[in-house]
Amino acid sequence: MASNCLQVHWGSTKPKPKSDAAPADTAPSEVAMDTFFVSHGAVTMSVDETIPARSFFKSWLPAAIAGKEAPRAILVVSGHWDTATPTVNVVHGTNDTIYDFHGFPEAMYKLKYPAPGAPDVAERTKKLLEDAGFGPVSEVHGRGLDHGAWVPLKLMYPEADIPVCQLSVQSGRDGTYHYNLGKALAPLRDEGVLVIGTGTATHNLSKMGPHDAPVPQWASEFDAWLKDSLLDGRYDDVKQYEEKAPYGKLAHPTPDHFYPLHVALGAAGDESRAELIHHSWTNTCISYASYRFTAKK
């Protein structure tokens, strides 16, 4: 589950003023979409019925968690795509399924999630970010969906009929940078695009153990701090989690699986409301805590 990390250490970026106007061919949505952070956990969730979070992801459509109307497209920010500068995948046609893992049963490498690409959303994402001062934004043509995207989406939208594109994280930056990056993407919510960050609420693979072992103190305390901080609206603390959170560096030895939360949170805005929509554990210390972020009306 490790990311392909290319790190550059820069300071936080403050977005420049930007236009919220959508392109002429983009019809505004009547209701702005919520944004989400989901803990995708183990790649085996796609086949393992014993993982508790699997039923949550399968309930996504029946429970209308993201709303009764299907999004026109999905933008996924995955902890498994880590680049020096923001990068979007531009796919005309069908997304490939990327098997960015090894050592699993052969059946795992036969799974497919043939969702259409969303090149228009990729280009719109690029423009919004560059207009806000996050440029230059790179394009990768033909890159498909990594397992941080397709594993949850295969359960959430099993028909694979909604266009999907991805945006990378920059693990050499900080939480404030990713929060501001998300703020630049806020207009997408009014354009029928579902913004989803996928990572893991706690992600220290070196500390994993049996499913039935007690959750260690460091994991439970960080997880509880995150929930309380989000639900209480202490977003500045979340941006500075390494200094503010108990066991922040132990919960996330590298930040790639946590920064997708900051992007989703930023895309909902400073006065958004956070809601815990799922919580479970596997492997002793892997939290599947997942959140909805609703912008202030």
Side-chain angles (χ1 to χ4, degrees):
M1 291 172 65
S3 300
N4 178 20
C5 297
L6 179 61
Q7 297 187 2
V8 180
H9 292 273
W10 296 322
S12 299
T13 295
K14 292 184 179 180
K16 297 177 182 177
K18 61 185 182 296
S19 169
D20 285 345
D25 59 350
T26 302
S29 174
E30 289 186 6
V31 179
M33 302 203 72
D34 294 337
T35 65
F36 295 86
F37 171 76
V38 297
S39 290
H40 67 252
V43 64
T44 50
M45 186 176 68
S46 54
V47 296
D48 188 348
E49 298 278 356
T50 68
I51 293 177
R54 180 180 166 89
S55 60
F56 159 69
F57 285 104
K58 291 186 73 173
S59 76
W60 190 271
L61 273 180
I65 292 174
K68 294 180 180 179
E69 299 295 326
R72 75 172 183 87
I74 301 171
L75 174 65
V76 176
V77 182
S78 164
H80 288 278
W81 194 17
D82 189 348
T83 59
T85 59
T87 305
V88 293
N89 72 326
V90 181
V91 175
H92 296 271
T94 302
N95 276 298
D96 289 333
T97 304
I98 300 175
Y99 306 104
D100 49 342
F101 47 83
H102 61 275
F104 289 90
E106 186 63 28
M108 295 293 304
Y109 303 92
K110 296 179 181 179
L111 298 173
K112 301 288 185 184
Y113 191 74
D120 59 326
V121 176
E123 296 292 349
R124 174 70 168 146
T125 297
K126 176 179 179 177
K127 184 178 189 308
L128 288 170
L129 293 178
E130 291 184 338
D131 286 352
F134 288 91
V137 175
S138 300
E139 297 181 9
V140 174
H141 291 259
R143 181 191 189 274
L145 304 177
D146 60 56
H147 83 265
W150 69 259
V151 166
L153 289 180
K154 190 172 178 63
L155 300 172
M156 296 159 70
Y157 296 100
E159 296 300 317
D161 55 356
I162 298 175
V164 182
C165 66
Q166 285 196 233
L167 170 67
S168 64
V169 296
Q170 289 72 65
S171 63
R173 299 281 195 136
D174 62 11
T176 298
Y177 167 91
H178 284 86
Y179 181 89
N180 288 335
L181 187 147
K183 287 181 72 172
L185 302 176
L188 294 176
R189 296 186 298 103
D190 294 310
E191 299 166 18
V193 178
L194 177 60
V195 177
I196 300 178
T198 82
T200 311
T202 56
H203 191 253
N204 190 332
L205 303 187
S206 70
K207 301 293 186 181
M208 292 195 306
H211 290 326
D212 57 354
V215 176
Q217 179 180 354
W218 65 264
S220 62
E221 287 196 15
F222 179 88
D223 190 63
W225 172 89
L226 178 60
K227 182 187 74 171
D228 291 343
S229 298
L230 288 173
L231 270 57
D232 291 345
R234 301 198 310 270
Y235 297 165
D236 284 341
D237 287 355
V238 177
K239 296 175 198 175
Q240 302 173 58
Y241 75 96
E242 287 188 325
E243 294 79 31
K244 301 290 187 179
Y247 306 105
K249 194 65 176 177
L250 190 56
H252 290 278
T254 60
D256 44 276
H257 273 59
F258 199 42
Y259 285 162
L261 181 146
H262 293 83
V263 178
L265 181 60
D270 291 334
E271 299 184 25
S272 63
R273 178 175 59 85
E275 176 189 356
L276 180 68
I277 56 175
H278 175 75
H279 188 259
S280 61
W281 296 89
T282 64
N283 301 99
T284 303
C285 63
I286 301 300
S287 169
Y288 282 75
S290 299
Y291 294 90
R292 178 205 317 270
F293 305 116
T294 303
K296 182 179 179 181
K297 297 294 188 288

